[in-house]
Amino acid sequence: MMSKAAFTSGSLRYRLAVTLIGVVAVLTLLFYFVLRAYAAQIALQSQDNILNASVTAILDAAIIRDGVVKIDIPYAAFSMLNTETDDRVFYAIYQNSSLLSGYADLPFPQRESRMSNTYKSGVYLGVAIRQVTASRVLVGGDIRTRITATVAQTQDSLSGILQRIARNAALYGVGFFSLAVVLAIWATSSTIDPLKRLAESVARRGPQDLSPIVKPVPSEMTPLVSSLNSLMTRLDKSFSQSEEFIAEAAHRVRTPLATVRSHAEVTLQRVDKEENRQALRSMIRAIDESSRAAGQLLDHAMITFRANQLEYQAIDLVELARECVQRLTPMGDMRDVELRLETDTTVLVSGDAILIQNAVRNLMDNALKYSPVESVIIVKVRSEPSPHISIIDQGAGFPSDEMHALVARFTRGRNASGTIGSGLGLTIAQDVALAHDGTLNIGNTTEGGACVTFSF
Amino acid sequence: MRYILFLILALLLAPAFALDWEDQQLFEGNNGTQTLRVISNTDTAIFAPVIQSFLQSHPQLNIEYNVASSANVYSSFRSTPDAYDLVVSSAMDLQLKLVNDGFAQPIEDIAHPAWAKWRRSLFGFTLEPASIVINKAAFKGLPTPGSRQEMIEVLRENPEAFTGRIGTYDIRQSGLGYLFATQDARVSETYWRLTEIMGSLNTQLYCCSGDMIDELAKGTIAISYNVLGSYASARSDVADKIEVILPSDFHNTMMRTVLIAQTTQKTSAATLFLRHLISSRWSKPDTENVSLPPLTTQQDNSQRSIIALDPGLMVFLDAMKRKTFIDEWESAIIQQ
């Protein structure tokens, strides 16, 4: 049977993998941006905290002495702002709205609430800064005054940290993505696997095997498998129907043919005229051919039927061969062909006796038909290397170029014209051999005769 | 046009600054075509060998070397930053403030230890400890003070020998003096006790290390506090008369720093000079007349307390803080 390539439209595996990887890519990007935003927030928070501590330290150092505000800024107030990238520091201290000390032009944020500290990002001297402002009320004697301090810092260290985090996040993202791609590919192939296994198990089946698939499959595949099973059931039914039909037809044809043949033979005895006898002989010949073909069709139908349910029993191949030889010896005698048996004492095999008998008889029949007059057919039964029966004749042998085609149904060799036959003999033997997990080898001997070996 | 304006401005301002110059000198390379203008508080005599060794390897350059006190270096550069290409000063706090306020140019790819630079703009190139210098003759028969505590004891026990014969920086004038004083005050309360004693003994105040060392050598004063040991060691003419003592309790170590002006048009030439300074190539053994102690990464710095280049230096530059500190100092040191 020729397998035709199916039309493909995309690949499930590819589609699944691309979808999974696409989803992972989107998630990875999302992860990267969320992480970066989060890190930026945390980094800014920590800078705010330090600036806050600095402002608090400055405000804490403020006192009123002799009616004058004095602020003895602690060394740590600025020293704590030291960063790896040596960020610049700016500050200003106001009493109410007049500058006490620091950078007069540092933008002074309008404070919304007097209670909480103000955090602000801005630009000073052309660079981005983060600024924290806080205030405190000082009371000394009859003076009540508000001191406001603002400390600002550039953001070199912050952007350095952010760059590092972004780089690390990108690295993690790439790692995560690669891992996910590997997992996606694995998940895809494990999902596709049952489909592949099903396809393989269907492809592995023999041509006669039309039994339903019973192995469990994933639920998504059950519609496919049940349609396949129902298709095979219908096919099987239709096959057996046609086999039954052939058997029935052959049987119906054979009986009347036998009647016609006996009538023809009786008539042959009575007719004297040579041309009439000649016609009758051709008639008998044609009847024989039809009857034989019908017999073989019947055999073949039986083999196809039995091959699916073999009845195994112990068989002695030697005994079986001897029986066949005895049965065919009269036919051989008619053409002076001797059937010679060369056997071991016993060769035991397990198989269906009726089928094997049928196969051997067909092979011997073939040998008889193609043997020249006054020749010998050797039937060998041996148990080594594996149990086998070889039938060797002294005929013309098989045409070497058609050797393999001959086992097909209704195929006859080129040199078969003039010989009665349906072309089913080798096919029957081949089917029986396959049903027993054996082989049928056909070939020619060195003298030119055909040699057919049926081995188990 | 801009250049002419600048010239007019420079001419107008020149007389004002001319008064403050301690020295101005032009060092010419063999075929000098470009002139680097350096403003510095380091005495020409001490810095000249450094410049000369630079000009030997870079004869295409000239160096105009202007010397002023560290406070004047700061204020003069701050008011006319266009007039100079490089600023060299021992007042680390003022230098750091110049960088913080955006007057310096960051220079990339300079290999230098992190503790000796700030913002890739300010580079330390010497390590100079503040020391006690004494006149040997004046201390005949007296114990040599090895620490601040010992100095306090010597002064306390011999007031008649030291009255009017102690010298230290006038921190109102000297930026370096102010830096040493504030750092001393941070480290130990001993500083204030010492200052009280010095005040009670009518201590003489000086603007610069050079003057102090001269007076020491002459014997006018017997002991001076917080002098640059490097300046004293440089004076071979007085080497036998004076002795430099590094106080054993602690001695603040200053880095002489250099920065390149933000506005300079001669960045690449200025960078050459900066690299020369921090390479300490100028202090090879054969150039024996160089007395600045170079900053090298090989030496063991764990025993010194090197003044850190961090924003904390700006605290004592705060106007209020400075006023408070100087008031306190004045009340301690000027008791007449």
Side-chain angles (χ1 to χ4, degrees), chain A residues 72-73 75 78-79 82 86-91 101 103 156, chain B residues 97 100-102 118-119 183 186 310-315 318 321:
Chain A
D72 187 16
I73 305 175
Y75 203 77
F78 291 170
S79 198
N82 191 23
D86 303 327
D87 275 297
R88 294 158 71 176
V89 173
F90 310 104
Y91 72 102
S101 170
Y103 292 73
D156 300 356
Chain B
K97 184 142 172 82
N100 190 65
D101 295 357
W118 202 67
R119 287 194 67 75
Q183 293 294 327
R186 273 187 70 211
D310 75 34
L313 286 175
M314 297 202 311
V315 166
D318 176 74
K321 180 95 175 176

PDB file of all heavy atoms in Angstrom, chain A residues 72-73 75 78-79 82 86-91 101 103 156, chain B residues 97 100-102 118-119 183 186 310-315 318 321:
ATOM      1  N   ASP A  72      25.159  74.964  65.459  1.00  0.00           N
ATOM      2  CA  ASP A  72      26.478  74.340  65.399  1.00  0.00           C
ATOM      3  C   ASP A  72      26.319  73.016  64.649  1.00  0.00           C
ATOM      4  O   ASP A  72      26.143  71.959  65.243  1.00  0.00           O
ATOM      5  CB  ASP A  72      26.978  74.115  66.830  1.00  0.00           C
ATOM      6  CG  ASP A  72      28.408  73.633  66.847  1.00  0.00           C
ATOM      7  OD1 ASP A  72      29.077  73.767  65.794  1.00  0.00           O
ATOM      8  OD2 ASP A  72      28.847  73.120  67.881  1.00  0.00           O
ATOM      9  N   ILE A  73      26.356  73.116  63.306  1.00  0.00           N
ATOM     10  CA  ILE A  73      26.067  71.927  62.479  1.00  0.00           C
ATOM     11  C   ILE A  73      27.005  70.781  62.852  1.00  0.00           C
ATOM     12  O   ILE A  73      28.225  70.953  62.854  1.00  0.00           O
ATOM     13  CB  ILE A  73      26.241  72.242  60.980  1.00  0.00           C
ATOM     14  CG1 ILE A  73      25.374  73.436  60.586  1.00  0.00           C
ATOM     15  CG2 ILE A  73      25.906  71.029  60.125  1.00  0.00           C
ATOM     16  CD1 ILE A  73      25.574  73.901  59.161  1.00  0.00           C
ATOM     17  N   TYR A  75      29.347  67.581  62.472  1.00  0.00           N
ATOM     18  CA  TYR A  75      30.175  67.128  61.337  1.00  0.00           C
ATOM     19  C   TYR A  75      29.453  66.030  60.570  1.00  0.00           C
ATOM     20  O   TYR A  75      29.466  65.962  59.348  1.00  0.00           O
ATOM     21  CB  TYR A  75      31.517  66.607  61.854  1.00  0.00           C
ATOM     22  CG  TYR A  75      32.622  66.644  60.824  1.00  0.00           C
ATOM     23  CD1 TYR A  75      33.255  67.847  60.498  1.00  0.00           C
ATOM     24  CD2 TYR A  75      33.045  65.493  60.183  1.00  0.00           C
ATOM     25  CE1 TYR A  75      34.267  67.896  59.565  1.00  0.00           C
ATOM     26  CE2 TYR A  75      34.074  65.533  59.233  1.00  0.00           C
ATOM     27  CZ  TYR A  75      34.672  66.741  58.941  1.00  0.00           C
ATOM     28  OH  TYR A  75      35.667  66.785  58.017  1.00  0.00           O
ATOM     29  N   PHE A  78      26.848  66.386  57.379  1.00  0.00           N
ATOM     30  CA  PHE A  78      27.247  66.321  55.972  1.00  0.00           C
ATOM     31  C   PHE A  78      28.060  65.061  55.672  1.00  0.00           C
ATOM     32  O   PHE A  78      28.012  64.517  54.581  1.00  0.00           O
ATOM     33  CB  PHE A  78      28.077  67.558  55.586  1.00  0.00           C
ATOM     34  CG  PHE A  78      27.274  68.832  55.552  1.00  0.00           C
ATOM     35  CD1 PHE A  78      27.899  70.051  55.425  1.00  0.00           C
ATOM     36  CD2 PHE A  78      25.878  68.797  55.623  1.00  0.00           C
ATOM     37  CE1 PHE A  78      27.168  71.228  55.389  1.00  0.00           C
ATOM     38  CE2 PHE A  78      25.136  69.963  55.590  1.00  0.00           C
ATOM     39  CZ  PHE A  78      25.792  71.181  55.477  1.00  0.00           C
ATOM     40  N   SER A  79      28.820  64.651  56.677  1.00  0.00           N
ATOM     41  CA  SER A  79      29.678  63.486  56.471  1.00  0.00           C
ATOM     42  C   SER A  79      28.845  62.264  56.103  1.00  0.00           C
ATOM     43  O   SER A  79      29.243  61.426  55.298  1.00  0.00           O
ATOM     44  CB  SER A  79      30.464  63.231  57.754  1.00  0.00           C
ATOM     45  OG  SER A  79      31.558  62.421  57.480  1.00  0.00           O
ATOM     46  N   ASN A  82      28.159  61.304  52.468  1.00  0.00           N
ATOM     47  CA  ASN A  82      29.223  60.811  51.590  1.00  0.00           C
ATOM     48  C   ASN A  82      28.739  59.565  50.848  1.00  0.00           C
ATOM     49  O   ASN A  82      28.141  58.676  51.443  1.00  0.00           O
ATOM     50  CB  ASN A  82      30.443  60.460  52.442  1.00  0.00           C
ATOM     51  CG  ASN A  82      31.656  60.198  51.588  1.00  0.00           C
ATOM     52  OD1 ASN A  82      31.728  60.674  50.454  1.00  0.00           O
ATOM     53  ND2 ASN A  82      32.604  59.443  52.111  1.00  0.00           N
ATOM     54  N   ASP A  86      30.695  60.211  45.389  1.00  0.00           N
ATOM     55  CA  ASP A  86      30.972  61.566  45.869  1.00  0.00           C
ATOM     56  C   ASP A  86      29.924  62.557  45.380  1.00  0.00           C
ATOM     57  O   ASP A  86      30.238  63.512  44.658  1.00  0.00           O
ATOM     58  CB  ASP A  86      32.374  62.026  45.407  1.00  0.00           C
ATOM     59  CG  ASP A  86      33.459  61.079  45.869  1.00  0.00           C
ATOM     60  OD1 ASP A  86      33.301  60.504  46.950  1.00  0.00           O
ATOM     61  OD2 ASP A  86      34.467  60.939  45.150  1.00  0.00           O
ATOM     62  N   ASP A  87      28.693  62.338  45.787  1.00  0.00           N
ATOM     63  CA  ASP A  87      27.632  63.254  45.382  1.00  0.00           C
ATOM     64  C   ASP A  87      27.819  64.622  46.033  1.00  0.00           C
ATOM     65  O   ASP A  87      28.311  64.734  47.153  1.00  0.00           O
ATOM     66  CB  ASP A  87      26.271  62.666  45.771  1.00  0.00           C
ATOM     67  CG  ASP A  87      25.766  61.715  44.714  1.00  0.00           C
ATOM     68  OD1 ASP A  87      25.532  62.207  43.589  1.00  0.00           O
ATOM     69  OD2 ASP A  87      25.629  60.518  44.996  1.00  0.00           O
ATOM     70  N   ARG A  88      27.386  65.646  45.300  1.00  0.00           N
ATOM     71  CA  ARG A  88      27.505  67.013  45.810  1.00  0.00           C
ATOM     72  C   ARG A  88      26.379  67.293  46.799  1.00  0.00           C
ATOM     73  O   ARG A  88      25.297  66.729  46.701  1.00  0.00           O
ATOM     74  CB  ARG A  88      27.427  67.987  44.632  1.00  0.00           C
ATOM     75  CG  ARG A  88      28.617  67.837  43.702  1.00  0.00           C
ATOM     76  CD  ARG A  88      28.306  68.369  42.324  1.00  0.00           C
ATOM     77  NE  ARG A  88      28.203  69.825  42.325  1.00  0.00           N
ATOM     78  CZ  ARG A  88      28.007  70.526  41.201  1.00  0.00           C
ATOM     79  NH1 ARG A  88      27.901  69.921  40.045  1.00  0.00           N
ATOM     80  NH2 ARG A  88      27.928  71.836  41.254  1.00  0.00           N
ATOM     81  N   VAL A  89      26.698  68.191  47.737  1.00  0.00           N
ATOM     82  CA  VAL A  89      25.742  68.492  48.800  1.00  0.00           C
ATOM     83  C   VAL A  89      25.483  69.995  48.835  1.00  0.00           C
ATOM     84  O   VAL A  89      26.421  70.798  48.745  1.00  0.00           O
ATOM     85  CB  VAL A  89      26.310  68.035  50.166  1.00  0.00           C
ATOM     86  CG1 VAL A  89      25.405  68.489  51.301  1.00  0.00           C
ATOM     87  CG2 VAL A  89      26.490  66.537  50.184  1.00  0.00           C
ATOM     88  N   PHE A  90      24.220  70.366  48.917  1.00  0.00           N
ATOM     89  CA  PHE A  90      23.861  71.784  49.064  1.00  0.00           C
ATOM     90  C   PHE A  90      22.889  71.910  50.229  1.00  0.00           C
ATOM     91  O   PHE A  90      22.133  70.985  50.510  1.00  0.00           O
ATOM     92  CB  PHE A  90      23.209  72.302  47.780  1.00  0.00           C
ATOM     93  CG  PHE A  90      23.988  71.974  46.540  1.00  0.00           C
ATOM     94  CD1 PHE A  90      23.563  70.953  45.691  1.00  0.00           C
ATOM     95  CD2 PHE A  90      25.159  72.649  46.237  1.00  0.00           C
ATOM     96  CE1 PHE A  90      24.284  70.636  44.555  1.00  0.00           C
ATOM     97  CE2 PHE A  90      25.888  72.325  45.094  1.00  0.00           C
ATOM     98  CZ  PHE A  90      25.453  71.317  44.254  1.00  0.00           C
ATOM     99  N   TYR A  91      22.928  73.073  50.865  1.00  0.00           N
ATOM    100  CA  TYR A  91      22.011  73.231  51.993  1.00  0.00           C
ATOM    101  C   TYR A  91      21.702  74.707  52.182  1.00  0.00           C
ATOM    102  O   TYR A  91      22.414  75.581  51.663  1.00  0.00           O
ATOM    103  CB  TYR A  91      22.632  72.654  53.275  1.00  0.00           C
ATOM    104  CG  TYR A  91      23.767  73.500  53.810  1.00  0.00           C
ATOM    105  CD1 TYR A  91      23.580  74.355  54.892  1.00  0.00           C
ATOM    106  CD2 TYR A  91      25.014  73.463  53.208  1.00  0.00           C
ATOM    107  CE1 TYR A  91      24.611  75.143  55.352  1.00  0.00           C
ATOM    108  CE2 TYR A  91      26.043  74.254  53.663  1.00  0.00           C
ATOM    109  CZ  TYR A  91      25.840  75.087  54.744  1.00  0.00           C
ATOM    110  OH  TYR A  91      26.869  75.880  55.185  1.00  0.00           O
ATOM    111  N   SER A 101      22.293  80.803  56.753  1.00  0.00           N
ATOM    112  CA  SER A 101      23.554  80.228  56.311  1.00  0.00           C
ATOM    113  C   SER A 101      23.273  79.281  55.142  1.00  0.00           C
ATOM    114  O   SER A 101      22.159  78.795  54.993  1.00  0.00           O
ATOM    115  CB  SER A 101      24.159  79.470  57.489  1.00  0.00           C
ATOM    116  OG  SER A 101      25.245  78.717  57.043  1.00  0.00           O
ATOM    117  N   TYR A 103      23.465  78.020  50.982  1.00  0.00           N
ATOM    118  CA  TYR A 103      23.368  78.459  49.595  1.00  0.00           C
ATOM    119  C   TYR A 103      22.098  79.278  49.423  1.00  0.00           C
ATOM    120  O   TYR A 103      20.993  78.745  49.461  1.00  0.00           O
ATOM    121  CB  TYR A 103      23.338  77.257  48.651  1.00  0.00           C
ATOM    122  CG  TYR A 103      24.648  76.497  48.615  1.00  0.00           C
ATOM    123  CD1 TYR A 103      25.040  75.699  49.690  1.00  0.00           C
ATOM    124  CD2 TYR A 103      25.490  76.569  47.510  1.00  0.00           C
ATOM    125  CE1 TYR A 103      26.240  75.014  49.659  1.00  0.00           C
ATOM    126  CE2 TYR A 103      26.688  75.875  47.472  1.00  0.00           C
ATOM    127  CZ  TYR A 103      27.063  75.097  48.552  1.00  0.00           C
ATOM    128  OH  TYR A 103      28.235  74.416  48.523  1.00  0.00           O
ATOM    129  N   ASP A 156      24.006  61.141  41.521  1.00  0.00           N
ATOM    130  CA  ASP A 156      24.935  60.258  40.795  1.00  0.00           C
ATOM    131  C   ASP A 156      24.917  58.844  41.356  1.00  0.00           C
ATOM    132  O   ASP A 156      24.843  57.869  40.607  1.00  0.00           O
ATOM    133  CB  ASP A 156      26.378  60.783  40.887  1.00  0.00           C
ATOM    134  CG  ASP A 156      26.501  62.165  40.304  1.00  0.00           C
ATOM    135  OD1 ASP A 156      25.491  62.652  39.769  1.00  0.00           O
ATOM    136  OD2 ASP A 156      27.583  62.754  40.387  1.00  0.00           O
TER     137      ASP A 156
ATOM    138  N   LYS B  97      34.960  72.358  48.481  1.00  0.00           N
ATOM    139  CA  LYS B  97      33.801  73.227  48.274  1.00  0.00           C
ATOM    140  C   LYS B  97      33.779  73.762  46.842  1.00  0.00           C
ATOM    141  O   LYS B  97      32.717  73.859  46.227  1.00  0.00           O
ATOM    142  CB  LYS B  97      33.801  74.371  49.280  1.00  0.00           C
ATOM    143  CG  LYS B  97      32.577  75.255  49.189  1.00  0.00           C
ATOM    144  CD  LYS B  97      32.111  75.703  50.554  1.00  0.00           C
ATOM    145  CE  LYS B  97      31.000  76.760  50.446  1.00  0.00           C
ATOM    146  NZ  LYS B  97      29.701  76.126  50.233  1.00  0.00           N
ATOM    147  N   ASN B 100      32.389  70.968  44.887  1.00  0.00           N
ATOM    148  CA  ASN B 100      30.968  70.798  45.198  1.00  0.00           C
ATOM    149  C   ASN B 100      30.125  71.865  44.499  1.00  0.00           C
ATOM    150  O   ASN B 100      29.028  71.597  44.032  1.00  0.00           O
ATOM    151  CB  ASN B 100      30.769  70.882  46.705  1.00  0.00           C
ATOM    152  CG  ASN B 100      29.366  70.485  47.118  1.00  0.00           C
ATOM    153  OD1 ASN B 100      28.972  69.346  46.941  1.00  0.00           O
ATOM    154  ND2 ASN B 100      28.606  71.434  47.626  1.00  0.00           N
ATOM    155  N   ASP B 101      30.673  73.079  44.415  1.00  0.00           N
ATOM    156  CA  ASP B 101      29.899  74.161  43.835  1.00  0.00           C
ATOM    157  C   ASP B 101      30.071  74.264  42.324  1.00  0.00           C
ATOM    158  O   ASP B 101      29.623  75.216  41.706  1.00  0.00           O
ATOM    159  CB  ASP B 101      30.271  75.486  44.527  1.00  0.00           C
ATOM    160  CG  ASP B 101      29.860  75.469  45.997  1.00  0.00           C
ATOM    161  OD1 ASP B 101      29.251  74.457  46.419  1.00  0.00           O
ATOM    162  OD2 ASP B 101      30.147  76.435  46.725  1.00  0.00           O
ATOM    163  N   GLY B 102      30.753  73.268  41.762  1.00  0.00           N
ATOM    164  CA  GLY B 102      30.777  73.147  40.300  1.00  0.00           C
ATOM    165  C   GLY B 102      31.864  73.945  39.612  1.00  0.00           C
ATOM    166  O   GLY B 102      31.723  74.276  38.440  1.00  0.00           O
ATOM    167  N   TRP B 118      38.034  63.068  44.766  1.00  0.00           N
ATOM    168  CA  TRP B 118      36.617  63.347  45.010  1.00  0.00           C
ATOM    169  C   TRP B 118      35.964  63.776  43.714  1.00  0.00           C
ATOM    170  O   TRP B 118      36.448  64.677  43.026  1.00  0.00           O
ATOM    171  CB  TRP B 118      36.446  64.423  46.080  1.00  0.00           C
ATOM    172  CG  TRP B 118      35.099  64.372  46.737  1.00  0.00           C
ATOM    173  CD1 TRP B 118      34.622  63.375  47.539  1.00  0.00           C
ATOM    174  CD2 TRP B 118      34.050  65.346  46.639  1.00  0.00           C
ATOM    175  NE1 TRP B 118      33.342  63.672  47.938  1.00  0.00           N
ATOM    176  CE2 TRP B 118      32.966  64.877  47.412  1.00  0.00           C
ATOM    177  CE3 TRP B 118      33.918  66.564  45.968  1.00  0.00           C
ATOM    178  CZ2 TRP B 118      31.771  65.569  47.530  1.00  0.00           C
ATOM    179  CZ3 TRP B 118      32.730  67.264  46.105  1.00  0.00           C
ATOM    180  CH2 TRP B 118      31.659  66.765  46.882  1.00  0.00           C
ATOM    181  N   ARG B 119      34.903  63.088  43.384  1.00  0.00           N
ATOM    182  CA  ARG B 119      34.110  63.394  42.181  1.00  0.00           C
ATOM    183  C   ARG B 119      34.953  63.376  40.906  1.00  0.00           C
ATOM    184  O   ARG B 119      34.649  64.083  39.963  1.00  0.00           O
ATOM    185  CB  ARG B 119      33.423  64.743  42.295  1.00  0.00           C
ATOM    186  CG  ARG B 119      32.247  64.749  43.251  1.00  0.00           C
ATOM    187  CD  ARG B 119      31.411  65.989  43.057  1.00  0.00           C
ATOM    188  NE  ARG B 119      30.751  66.014  41.760  1.00  0.00           N
ATOM    189  CZ  ARG B 119      29.698  65.272  41.451  1.00  0.00           C
ATOM    190  NH1 ARG B 119      29.196  64.465  42.344  1.00  0.00           N
ATOM    191  NH2 ARG B 119      29.169  65.339  40.252  1.00  0.00           N
ATOM    192  N   GLN B 183      39.970  70.064  62.435  1.00  0.00           N
ATOM    193  CA  GLN B 183      40.126  68.607  62.477  1.00  0.00           C
ATOM    194  C   GLN B 183      40.660  68.166  63.846  1.00  0.00           C
ATOM    195  O   GLN B 183      40.236  67.143  64.379  1.00  0.00           O
ATOM    196  CB  GLN B 183      41.054  68.127  61.351  1.00  0.00           C
ATOM    197  CG  GLN B 183      40.471  68.316  59.959  1.00  0.00           C
ATOM    198  CD  GLN B 183      39.235  67.459  59.702  1.00  0.00           C
ATOM    199  OE1 GLN B 183      39.123  66.350  60.214  1.00  0.00           O
ATOM    200  NE2 GLN B 183      38.287  67.987  58.934  1.00  0.00           N
ATOM    201  N   ARG B 186      37.880  68.142  66.244  1.00  0.00           N
ATOM    202  CA  ARG B 186      37.002  66.994  66.042  1.00  0.00           C
ATOM    203  C   ARG B 186      37.545  65.769  66.758  1.00  0.00           C
ATOM    204  O   ARG B 186      36.793  64.966  67.295  1.00  0.00           O
ATOM    205  CB  ARG B 186      36.909  66.638  64.552  1.00  0.00           C
ATOM    206  CG  ARG B 186      35.852  67.379  63.791  1.00  0.00           C
ATOM    207  CD  ARG B 186      35.779  66.792  62.399  1.00  0.00           C
ATOM    208  NE  ARG B 186      35.219  65.430  62.424  1.00  0.00           N
ATOM    209  CZ  ARG B 186      35.537  64.482  61.583  1.00  0.00           C
ATOM    210  NH1 ARG B 186      36.431  64.690  60.641  1.00  0.00           N
ATOM    211  NH2 ARG B 186      34.972  63.303  61.668  1.00  0.00           N
ATOM    212  N   ASP B 310      35.410  64.184  52.179  1.00  0.00           N
ATOM    213  CA  ASP B 310      33.970  63.909  52.108  1.00  0.00           C
ATOM    214  C   ASP B 310      33.210  65.191  52.436  1.00  0.00           C
ATOM    215  O   ASP B 310      33.807  66.178  52.869  1.00  0.00           O
ATOM    216  CB  ASP B 310      33.591  62.719  53.000  1.00  0.00           C
ATOM    217  CG  ASP B 310      33.581  63.038  54.487  1.00  0.00           C
ATOM    218  OD1 ASP B 310      33.224  64.168  54.857  1.00  0.00           O
ATOM    219  OD2 ASP B 310      33.937  62.145  55.269  1.00  0.00           O
ATOM    220  N   PRO B 311      31.910  65.201  52.205  1.00  0.00           N
ATOM    221  CA  PRO B 311      31.162  66.472  52.349  1.00  0.00           C
ATOM    222  C   PRO B 311      31.230  67.046  53.757  1.00  0.00           C
ATOM    223  O   PRO B 311      30.945  68.228  53.945  1.00  0.00           O
ATOM    224  CB  PRO B 311      29.718  66.077  52.003  1.00  0.00           C
ATOM    225  CG  PRO B 311      29.818  64.806  51.254  1.00  0.00           C
ATOM    226  CD  PRO B 311      31.045  64.109  51.726  1.00  0.00           C
ATOM    227  N   GLY B 312      31.638  66.217  54.734  1.00  0.00           N
ATOM    228  CA  GLY B 312      31.769  66.716  56.103  1.00  0.00           C
ATOM    229  C   GLY B 312      32.702  67.924  56.181  1.00  0.00           C
ATOM    230  O   GLY B 312      32.550  68.796  57.040  1.00  0.00           O
ATOM    231  N   LEU B 313      33.692  67.980  55.264  1.00  0.00           N
ATOM    232  CA  LEU B 313      34.639  69.102  55.257  1.00  0.00           C
ATOM    233  C   LEU B 313      33.918  70.444  55.118  1.00  0.00           C
ATOM    234  O   LEU B 313      34.427  71.480  55.524  1.00  0.00           O
ATOM    235  CB  LEU B 313      35.645  68.940  54.106  1.00  0.00           C
ATOM    236  CG  LEU B 313      36.740  67.877  54.282  1.00  0.00           C
ATOM    237  CD1 LEU B 313      37.565  67.760  53.015  1.00  0.00           C
ATOM    238  CD2 LEU B 313      37.638  68.249  55.461  1.00  0.00           C
ATOM    239  N   MET B 314      32.719  70.403  54.526  1.00  0.00           N
ATOM    240  CA  MET B 314      32.012  71.667  54.291  1.00  0.00           C
ATOM    241  C   MET B 314      31.323  72.199  55.547  1.00  0.00           C
ATOM    242  O   MET B 314      30.890  73.343  55.573  1.00  0.00           O
ATOM    243  CB  MET B 314      30.981  71.480  53.168  1.00  0.00           C
ATOM    244  CG  MET B 314      31.633  71.119  51.840  1.00  0.00           C
ATOM    245  SD  MET B 314      30.610  71.481  50.426  1.00  0.00           S
ATOM    246  CE  MET B 314      29.075  70.767  50.890  1.00  0.00           C
ATOM    247  N   VAL B 315      31.231  71.337  56.547  1.00  0.00           N
ATOM    248  CA  VAL B 315      30.533  71.752  57.761  1.00  0.00           C
ATOM    249  C   VAL B 315      31.201  72.976  58.382  1.00  0.00           C
ATOM    250  O   VAL B 315      30.545  73.966  58.702  1.00  0.00           O
ATOM    251  CB  VAL B 315      30.478  70.582  58.769  1.00  0.00           C
ATOM    252  CG1 VAL B 315      30.070  71.092  60.137  1.00  0.00           C
ATOM    253  CG2 VAL B 315      29.504  69.529  58.284  1.00  0.00           C
ATOM    254  N   ASP B 318      30.634  76.404  56.889  1.00  0.00           N
ATOM    255  CA  ASP B 318      29.355  77.083  57.100  1.00  0.00           C
ATOM    256  C   ASP B 318      29.609  78.359  57.890  1.00  0.00           C
ATOM    257  O   ASP B 318      30.333  78.366  58.899  1.00  0.00           O
ATOM    258  CB  ASP B 318      28.424  76.142  57.876  1.00  0.00           C
ATOM    259  CG  ASP B 318      27.112  76.821  58.208  1.00  0.00           C
ATOM    260  OD1 ASP B 318      26.300  76.990  57.282  1.00  0.00           O
ATOM    261  OD2 ASP B 318      26.922  77.204  59.378  1.00  0.00           O
ATOM    262  N   LYS B 321      28.849  78.210  61.584  1.00  0.00           N
ATOM    263  CA  LYS B 321      29.733  77.276  62.267  1.00  0.00           C
ATOM    264  C   LYS B 321      31.127  77.886  62.394  1.00  0.00           C
ATOM    265  O   LYS B 321      31.769  77.814  63.435  1.00  0.00           O
ATOM    266  CB  LYS B 321      29.784  75.974  61.453  1.00  0.00           C
ATOM    267  CG  LYS B 321      30.662  74.902  62.039  1.00  0.00           C
ATOM    268  CD  LYS B 321      29.865  73.940  62.877  1.00  0.00           C
ATOM    269  CE  LYS B 321      30.748  72.798  63.355  1.00  0.00           C
ATOM    270  NZ  LYS B 321      29.991  71.908  64.255  1.00  0.00           N
TER     271      LYS B 321
END
